[in-house]
Amino acid sequence: NAFATDAIGPDEASIIIGDGYFQFQKDSGVESEGPEYAHTHEYSHHLQLLLGVGELNDDFSDQSAKKQELMADAFSAYFLAHDSGGDMTSEEISNVHAIAYSVGDCEVTNEAHHGTPSQRKCATVWGSSLADSDRGRKFKLQDVAKEFESWYTKID
């Protein structure tokens, strides 16, 4: 498993990724892109905190977990696909989409639901498409978040 936390201290945000997650990625044949996706996805949760659009806690009474996870997927894919970010090839980004799909869940009635496999993949496709359509232009993080908000209203 992988997660972002600020529980260590107010100025000590952390990303914790277990060995099992890396083994899962290796077994899935994406040991190159898997760790990069996990790191950028979890880092995106810290960016959400800075933007004031996320919380690192277990209170998801309004199913906000899904929105936070899909936004982190989108931010991650945007960075990994962007020429000034991860600069991944089309094949590598396709692997990122597959990884996102593999970590989706179908527990749609669970308040901590993180998005179905298709929703997780769709969020990475959206994020990488934004980077690709960008043609080298860098969006401000706040602008990516606003674009995501508009896109998110269409997700079911």
Side-chain angles (χ1 to χ4, degrees):
N1 205 354
F3 62 94
T5 182
D6 61 353
I8 295 171
D11 296 325
E12 297 186 37
S14 298
I15 294 171
I16 300 170
I17 304 172
D19 292 340
Y21 182 86
F22 293 119
Q23 188 62 48
F24 172 72
Q25 297 305 322
K26 183 177 181 183
D27 293 347
S28 299
V30 289
E31 61 269 20
S32 176
E33 299 84 8
E36 289 185 64
Y37 164 77
H39 184 253
T40 56
H41 173 94
E42 297 306 328
Y43 186 79
S44 294
H45 287 306
H46 290 295
L47 295 176
Q48 289 171 328
L49 287 175
L50 292 173
L51 288 173
V53 297
E55 295 180 22
L56 297 180
N57 63 41
D58 295 328
D59 181 22
F60 299 118
S61 56
D62 61 355
Q63 292 204 349
S64 62
K66 179 174 87 171
K67 185 176 183 180
Q68 289 180 25
E69 292 303 316
L70 295 180
M71 182 183 279
D73 285 337
F75 282 5
S76 176
Y78 175 80
F79 173 80
L80 292 172
H82 201 285
D83 292 345
S84 297
D87 197 22
M88 286 188 166
T89 66
S90 295
E91 182 179 339
E92 291 168 324
I93 288 298
S94 290
N95 286 338
V96 168
H97 301 326
I99 296 163
Y101 184 90
S102 74
V103 297
D105 70 76
C106 296
E107 299 290 328
V108 296
T109 59
N110 185 325
E111 292 177 346
H113 170 56
H114 280 42
T116 66
S118 294
Q119 289 169 335
R120 300 291 299 264
K121 179 181 178 181
C122 191
T124 62
V125 168
W126 180 85
S128 62
S129 296
L130 183 64
D132 194 39
S133 69
D134 192 0
R135 304 223 192 316
R137 180 175 160 253
K138 296 177 204 169
F139 284 96
K140 291 181 180 181
L141 185 59
Q142 296 88 337
D143 294 337
V144 176
K146 286 179 188 173
E147 291 289 326
F148 174 84
E149 292 289 341
S150 175
W151 173 82
Y152 183 79
T153 62
K154 301 170 193 157
I155 289 295
D156 186 85

